[in-house]
Amino acid sequence: MKVLMTEYLRIDLETENWECRVCEHVVGSARGNYKEGLLVYKRNPEDIHPSVIDPDKYKFTFCPDKDWVSIYEFYCPSCGTQMEVEYTFPGHMPLYDMEVDVDALKEQWSHREEILEPVKGPNILVDRTHGHNH
Amino acid sequence: MSTNVKVDTEIEDQELIQKFLKDTTLFLGPDPEIIRDHRIMPRTPSEEECMDKYTDLNQISSIRDRLQSACEEGFEMVEQMGAAPGAKWGDIITGIYSASGDLTIGSAGGVLIFSALVHHPIKFIIKNWIDEHTVGVNEGDGFIHNDSRYGNVHNTDQSMILPVFHEGKLICWAASTVHEGENGAIEPGGMPSMAETSFDEGLKMSPFKVVENYEIKRDILTFLQNSVREPKLQYEDMKVKLFACMRLEQRIKEVFETDGPDALTACLRYTNESVVTEVRRRISEWPDMTVRTQTIMDSTLRENALLKINLAVTKKDDRLIFDFSGTSPELTNRAINTQLPGMKGMVGQAFMNHIWPDLPRGQAGLSPIEFITQEGSLVDCSYEAPNSQSLMSIFHSFTVAQHATAKFLYSCPDKYTRVLAPWHNMINTFIWGGVNQHGEMLGNLCADLNGMGGGARMDRDGEHALAPIFATMADIGEQEMNEEEVPFLQLVSKKMTANTQAPGKYRGGMGYTMIASTKDSDQWGFMTTTQGSKVPTIQGLFGGYAGGSYPLCKVTDVDVYDVLLKNPEQFKHSIHETMNEQLFPGAKYSTHHMGMGFDISKRGELYMISQGSGGGYGDPLERDPTYVIMDIEEGLITSDWAKKLYKVEFNEETFALDLEATEKLRADYRELRKQQGKPYAEFIKDHVKDTPPADIPFYGSWNGDVDTIYAGSVDDKRDASNIGPIYVTNPKDVRIGELEAELEAVRKQAGIPSTDTRK
Ligand SMILES: [Zn+2]
């Protein structure tokens, strides 16, 4: 049985591995940090958050200061999907963000049916794209 | 027999010692036993008896529904009659508390953080004033409170608390809390960022009696009015809160008539205990794991600095533990610290808003959740430290809680809401004050703070300028109505600030631009109190990004009202056109971080800010290209940035998509990622450092070692269990020092001797 843990990651309870949900790639042991099986890139904030006002004229421009914050991007090494983004202090260690108790997970799902598509929960809002039709 | 006697004397001795200690206590300060405990009180023998007597769940449920509508009625009264802007948009709670002081049923709308912390002052009253012969708690009494150190968000919130009796027996409490704004602090509006000690924060009301026989005592009222900038508001809203409490009391007494006081007691206790049971059941459904996250603070509101909010959430069976160890230490002369209840309350808010909104609004929802903090940290500050801008650390606490819980919720088969990326978390708005066009002194804020961008959800974009993180249902008010009372106009408002979105498969909801300018007063000013001008204050989720950063832009030496009369074409309706084109002759254009202390403005000068964006969700390369085009058409993003961020190909005239070319661009970009990305170990070797940046003041733990706390520099490392006070130099003194050094260097270079060399 496989448990959908995030938008892009699942845990195979039999093999006890993290897997990419996009390309099936085995990322690493579910008893460890999945980030260790991914590619990492330090993104310049200017690539994502444009200076709305002229950075040659002004100190504060809507673009984060790259000396004050680093953006780490984590990619699946097989399909290049961006699985996680971390805004962190320059030079800081990436966080071990999901440390899973695999034995407890196995026990928990031994009482559950496998779920293939993520459960979304109750729907209470009208979708934006359908707004014009009414 | 002899053992019993011994035990009896021991108890007598103990009681004697307790009484002695109580009688000789010189100051009844905040009681750690009360304010460090967010759990519901133990079941009392009287509650036990009532629960044995009333077991019909239909009756319990019908009483609860009646009490809930009473709370909504009280809420409506305060919202409609309250004078404070905060009251008008729902920064309120009206609630019913058990005899032991647990908030059991609270109004469902408005600000929910209150649910988890306004019970503390009631417990103080129970512990100290009931048996105190100089005070006492009697029918018709009312108590006032605002000091956050006795349990509150911040001192701008004032509560009115009424005990409810039946035939002389205290059955429960009714209370109403409102964000009043003005409270006599060193800056107008009640949330001074300039406060350097707790004595700069205005009124410091420990819980005390201000109402007898349902009437406000005029002498005390006058003292309070005399201590604040808005004496009329102080009176009006004390009355409004009192009347709301009296209405609650009336509804409670109607239940006494129909069902009896014991049934009401059973209902309150049953409600609290069943919520606790249900919360534990829901926690059990989560996967057992530890999730770690952090957010970055880039400012103390006085100067830029790097501070960390650190969180590890561990779920094990039916336990959920929020561990904030490793968070920045408190800054002993800065206002951004929070007392422990504020942080807990805001975590409670995250659950009530976004995780389990179906649970009753009360204290019980948070009760089973456990907290670990380091005393003397930003989220658990000392008695001495100011906390008038506790919102800063409170809001970050919300975000780390929201970010961490999303990672627990994704796999759960039962969800009560959508999994979503963090909401925007800062009150990007204007706080204002001075003398208005009618000659009245005012101090308060624009309700635009309620328009925070919503986080993207697992299946759709975030909503723009939707709601603040502290209330799901709150209004931003009518600007035209505000302008009748305040001497400034919002020349631009409700217009989205383009290219500020948080990209993702689903993008975050965006915020709008506000351009304010004083018109009819020469004694008027603004302040802004947010972080995030250098570093985003939130995180994205599952490959989505955070929003960008947000500056304060000013244009001075201009009277824009003159410009509008004579050269209206020079006035532009956006920050980027105004700042980049600089069309006003002779005007000065500048940018600042968003921690602007109170700044006296002149007629026609421009203060420009933007609300923030909620976080993005998922890989931007998976964004539906038609959504990208829709955003361009709606002016949310420009074509060039849309192409850059989302790798879409389209005709810029017709917006017709080229899906094949888009697919190719995206496939190419995935390949590029694989080339640019480094294996984890190699990346760590290249980029991770053993210490924080040396040239930026940094506060908090580094690389997971939560026992060692940096206190502003690489050389100042402290033991987390004994951090000690940290005083930050006044930024003006820092600037003077820099200028003196520069002057000295220039003198030396030019051979000009100093005018006075004496030491
Ligand atoms: Zn993959």
Side-chain angles (χ1 to χ4, degrees), chain B residues 153 173 200 222 259 267 284 316 442 493 517 549 582 585 607 626 706 725:
Chain B
V153 183
W173 301 77
D200 298 331
T222 305
D259 298 76
C267 166
S284 305
K316 176 92 187 130
L442 301 178
S493 186
S517 185
S549 52
Q582 299 195 348
Y607 290 75
T626 58
V706 298

Side-chain angles (χ1 to χ4, degrees), chain B residues 253-266:
Chain B
K253 289 190 166 172
E254 286 165 12
V255 174
F256 293 169
E257 292 291 314
T258 54
D259 298 76
D262 288 358
L264 186 129
T265 298

Side-chain angles (χ1 to χ4, degrees), chain B residues 547-566:
Chain B
S549 52
Y550 301 92
L552 164 72
C553 301
K554 270 163 65 168
V555 188
T556 54
D557 293 355
V558 64
D559 182 342
V560 79
Y561 296 108
D562 268 2
V563 173
L564 284 168
L565 281 176
K566 293 173 195 153

